[in-house]
Amino acid sequence: VIVVLVVIGVVLSIVMKKPPLPPVVKEEVKKVFMVHSYDPEDVCGQPQDEGAVAKLKELGFEEGKNLEIYRFYMDTKKTYTTPEQMKMRGEMAIEEIKKIDPDVVMLIDDDAAREVMLPLVNSKYPIVFTGMNALPEMYNEKVYFMDSRERPGHNITGVIELLRVAESVKLIQKIIPVNKILFISDTAPVGKAVKAGFLYEQEIYQKIGVPFPAEVEMREVALFEDYQEVIKEANQREDIDVIFPIAVSLGTKEGKRVVAPEITKWTLLNNKKPDIAATFFFAKFGYLGGVTIDFPALGGQAAIKIASILKGEKAGDIPIEEAAEYTFIIALNLARADQLGIKIPPEIIEMAGQVYTKMDLYPEYEIKEE
């Protein structure tokens, strides 16, 4: 009897037992590690970061849900400015990357590309760069990472940030006569990269047999005092119509470092010539304007590549691209125009994507609404 009852109990337990519920699968959290050349407040780096985060969310990767974002700020523009210090900060960033073991590494600006990207060529980490001013071919000569722009073939892809100097000149020519521009760059690695990008733009015009829209004089300076002298000299010269100042990091004779906001503010207070803005943030600061790079949009363009990698595509199969047309906007500063005695035609103002009525770095001068 006891045996029968045991058998019946076993049978009933088998019959009555519910099938196990399928395990709850938690959505996989992806990790992106951003390396900025800049400090956290920089007007070039942070907007690219924000643009990338916004685009990733739009593409289905939201921070705090299925995405974790880690950041390392190399701070090579203000604090760690020597080649040795930049290399040291790059090594520190790589150490952090190895600790976090991210799914994608995003690099913002040339210093990050040079000091972090190149040492990680052919590593297990997919890399997407943005804001690279030098041509990728220049870096490819140092460490081979790119079979071609169309199909890089290794673990790296990204977006090249090139100036649109010719388009900016053509824009200013619709406002005032421009026969000659003065292009001023610094000797920091990024300054040299920007200069190389501009020379590349000029070469394209030469190859297609089209004259550049204005004569160009190029000056490269290392010290803030030299930069000041160049600006003062240009103001005394009748042959210089427009100044394109892209120096963003300069030393001083006392061994200090002067960076973009300080350089720009001094320029606004002392330069009496129209000035071209490389990015719309510099138009916001107070430069007259130009066809400028939209950094949030640039970061968004890089984020499209990041999202593709997070979905399974290989970085080496994703083309390296120049900044897309939608990442450029016309930016104008009406307060600067008024200060210089320049009347911008209404049709040009209507074309602008960003129009400013005050100078952020020169707040005492502002266009009042009538």
Side-chain angles (χ1 to χ4, degrees), residues 27-31 56-57 59-68 310:
E27 187 173 10
E28 185 180 2
V29 176
K30 299 291 187 178
K31 293 185 288 187
L56 284 169
K57 182 178 179 179
L59 296 173
F61 297 96
E62 184 174 356
E63 193 173 8
K65 291 187 176 180
N66 62 346
L67 180 67
E68 293 178 355
L310 294 177

Side-chain angles (χ1 to χ4, degrees), residues 119-331:
L120 292 179
V121 170
N122 292 328
S123 69
K124 72 176 195 175
Y125 302 109
I127 292 172
V128 177
F129 62 79
T130 178
M132 179 187 284
N133 295 109
L135 302 179
E137 289 79 7
M138 293 173 62
Y139 294 112
N140 206 41
E141 291 176 0
K142 297 179 180 179
V143 181
Y144 191 82
F145 70 89
M146 179 183 68
D147 298 339
S148 68
R149 288 193 186 186
E150 293 72 26
R151 193 175 185 280
H154 298 256
N155 64 318
I156 295 169
T157 186
V159 181
I160 311 162
E161 175 200 343
L162 293 176
L163 300 176
R164 299 290 181 92
V165 182
E167 291 183 35
S168 289
V169 171
K170 290 175 184 177
L171 174 71
I172 303 300
Q173 285 174 332
K174 294 177 181 178
I175 302 171
I176 59 171
V178 179
N179 296 309
K180 186 173 185 177
I181 69 169
L182 176 64
F183 185 92
I184 312 173
S185 61
D186 58 46
T187 58
V190 172
K192 289 183 176 296
V194 173
K195 180 180 177 180
F198 177 41
L199 292 173
Y200 169 70
E201 181 181 352
Q202 291 180 299
E203 287 175 9
I204 291 175
Y205 271 78
Q206 291 175 350
K207 286 179 180 178
I208 62 176
V210 176
F212 203 75
E215 184 182 350
V216 179
E217 179 177 326
M218 304 189 76
R219 299 286 290 273
E220 187 179 80
V221 294
L223 299 178
F224 185 47
E225 292 87 353
D226 294 336
Y227 174 86
Q228 292 172 312
E229 288 303 314
V230 170
I231 293 290
K232 291 175 182 176
E233 174 196 325
N235 275 266
Q236 300 300 317
R237 290 172 53 182
E238 294 184 0
D239 63 322
I240 300 294
D241 300 304
V242 172
I243 295 175
F244 197 157
I246 61 160
V248 296
S249 180
L250 294 166
T252 69
K253 291 179 179 178
E254 291 77 26
K256 297 180 181 179
R257 179 63 45 178
V258 183
V259 292
E262 300 166 274
I263 297 169
T264 305
K265 186 164 187 175
W266 184 91
T267 305
L268 290 170
L269 291 169
N270 293 275
N271 177 40
K272 308 306 177 187
K273 301 269 187 177
D275 24 49
I276 292 176
T279 77
F280 73 82
F281 280 98
F282 284 96
K284 188 171 186 285
F285 282 166
Y287 287 159
L288 181 61
V291 178
T292 69
I293 192 75
D294 180 338
F295 278 134
L298 188 68
Q301 186 178 352
I304 295 172
K305 300 179 186 297
I306 293 173
S308 296
I309 294 169
L310 294 177
K311 292 175 182 177
E313 194 168 354
K314 293 182 179 179
D317 293 336
I318 302 173
I320 291 172
E321 301 174 309
E322 294 181 6
E325 286 298 324
Y326 66 81
T327 68
F328 289 90
I329 60 172
I330 292 174

Side-chain angles (χ1 to χ4, degrees), residues 62-79:
E62 184 174 356
E63 193 173 8
K65 291 187 176 180
N66 62 346
L67 180 67
E68 293 178 355
I69 298 179
Y70 302 83
R71 294 171 175 86
F72 186 94
Y73 297 94
M74 293 175 66
D75 194 7
T76 56
K77 312 303 180 184
K78 291 183 180 179
T79 308

